[in-house]
Amino acid sequence: MNIILLGPPGAGKGTQAQRLEKSRRMVQLSTGDMLRAERASGSDLGQEVQAIMDAGKLVSDAIMIRLIAHRIGAPDARAGFILDGFPRTVPQAEALDVMLGEKKLPLSHVIEMVVDDAILTDRITGRYTCAKCGAGYHDRNQKPKVDDVCDVCGSNQFTRRADDNAATVTQRLQAYHTQTAPILPYYRAKGILRQVDGMAAIEEVGRQIEAILTSAPGVLKS
Ligand code: AP5
């Protein structure tokens, strides 16, 4: 099964994608993670996108479409993938349709995680991840079971993202509302858009997503 998790920065896309990787063995395809890996490697692409990401703006459609086209056809994605952070503009959504059509990969659900802007800043500024395995945590909402020890790999090294500050969050939210939210009617018209309450507790959001995934797939209208 292939799905898209859609929602503003801090909505919980990465958190739920990681849960689905464990429970359903689907593969998380996070374009944010791909870009951060490029930055960490010091590649030309990484250097090109650094200032754009740190300003909370969107990287160009051409770069993003190239990046995801390369990843979506990889063997590990054949068992089912969760798109997290892509598509983020209508041209990206249209390009994804073409890609999936060419590869004969069906899209079952587009799940919108609905969260009020007011709580997103707190979620984002409190977020941190394990530097070794990438498991996600939050200062208040999702602490490791043992202080300063990763639940998954036992590491005591954690990291925070350069764009997780209050000033950049404002710009990222603006980008979401002006450039990404117009995707919603695009998928609604195709009959595959579903919603979950992204303000519920993490476990409850997971239950709502699971209920969607076990229901009949949306009927894709061309
Ligand atoms: P990206 O990495 O995709 O960031 P984002 O969309 O801003 O989303 P986040 O990762 O911030 O949030 P999330 O929804 O995954 O929330 P999380 O689960 O971590 O993109 C970064 C940048 O890359 C972009 O700004 C852009 O520059 C560029 N980019 C990437 N893709 C692009 C594209 N396609 N086109 C153009 N540019 C692109 O949760 C957040 C925190 O809240 C965590 O600490 C978590 O523990 C906590 N939390 C989660 N759920 C709950 C809950 N239900 N209750 C309480 N706390 C919760």
Side-chain angles (χ1 to χ4, degrees):
M1 181 184 298
N2 305 311
I3 65 167
I4 297 173
L5 291 182
L6 197 59
K13 304 180 294 292
T15 302
Q16 296 299 332
Q18 286 186 357
R19 289 169 56 97
L20 287 169
E21 278 200 317
K22 283 193 208 126
S23 64
R24 287 189 164 251
R25 304 201 177 283
M26 296 166 80
V27 176
Q28 176 191 16
L29 301 183
S30 158
T31 44
D33 286 349
M34 291 173 205
L35 292 170
R36 283 184 285 279
E38 291 289 340
R39 288 177 61 165
S41 75
S43 69
D44 290 346
L45 173 60
Q47 290 175 33
E48 190 181 336
V49 300
Q50 181 159 337
I52 301 169
M53 292 175 75
D54 288 349
K57 295 186 176 160
L58 294 189
V59 174
S60 75
D61 288 337
I63 289 178
M64 297 315 302
I65 291 164
R66 212 167 55 230
L67 201 63
I68 204 73
H70 175 69
R71 189 63 186 85
I72 222 165
D76 67 336
R78 291 210 191 109
F81 57 74
I82 308 145
L83 283 170
D84 161 9
F86 187 95
R88 245 178 167 98
T89 63
V90 171
Q92 289 183 18
E94 290 168 347
L96 178 65
D97 276 352
V98 174
M99 257 180 253
L100 295 177
E102 283 171 359
K103 295 182 197 303
K104 300 201 177 3
L105 293 168
L107 190 59
S108 301
H109 303 285
V110 177
I111 302 177
E112 180 193 4
M113 307 185 65
V114 183
V115 184
D116 286 349
D117 282 7
I119 67 166
L120 294 171
T121 303
D122 172 69
R123 283 210 190 160
I124 291 173
T125 53
R127 169 173 52 192
Y128 60 100
T129 54
C130 172
K132 193 168 166 210
C133 73
Y137 298 99
H138 189 276
D139 290 327
R140 289 167 295 283
N141 307 331
Q142 196 188 10
K143 293 177 173 181
K145 292 187 184 90
V146 177
D147 279 353
D148 301 329
V149 179
C150 175
D151 294 344
V152 179
C153 73
S155 168
N156 59 3
Q157 301 293 311
F158 295 91
T159 177
R160 289 180 192 261
R161 276 168 45 177
D163 60 344
D164 278 354
N165 57 73
T168 308
V169 171
T170 305
Q171 176 61 49
R172 285 161 65 192
L173 282 172
Q174 196 182 331
Y176 178 78
H177 290 299
T178 57
Q179 293 171 271
T180 305
I183 294 177
L184 297 170
Y186 179 83
Y187 284 119
R188 192 172 294 118
K190 287 179 175 288
I192 55 171
L193 182 69
R194 308 289 297 271
Q195 287 185 330
V196 295
D197 176 9
M199 291 191 289
I202 291 171
E203 297 286 329
E204 171 56 22
V205 178
R207 273 192 289 274
Q208 291 184 19
I209 291 175
E210 194 54 40
I212 291 171
L213 300 191
T214 48
S215 69
V219 179
L220 191 60
K221 298 172 197 156
S222 55

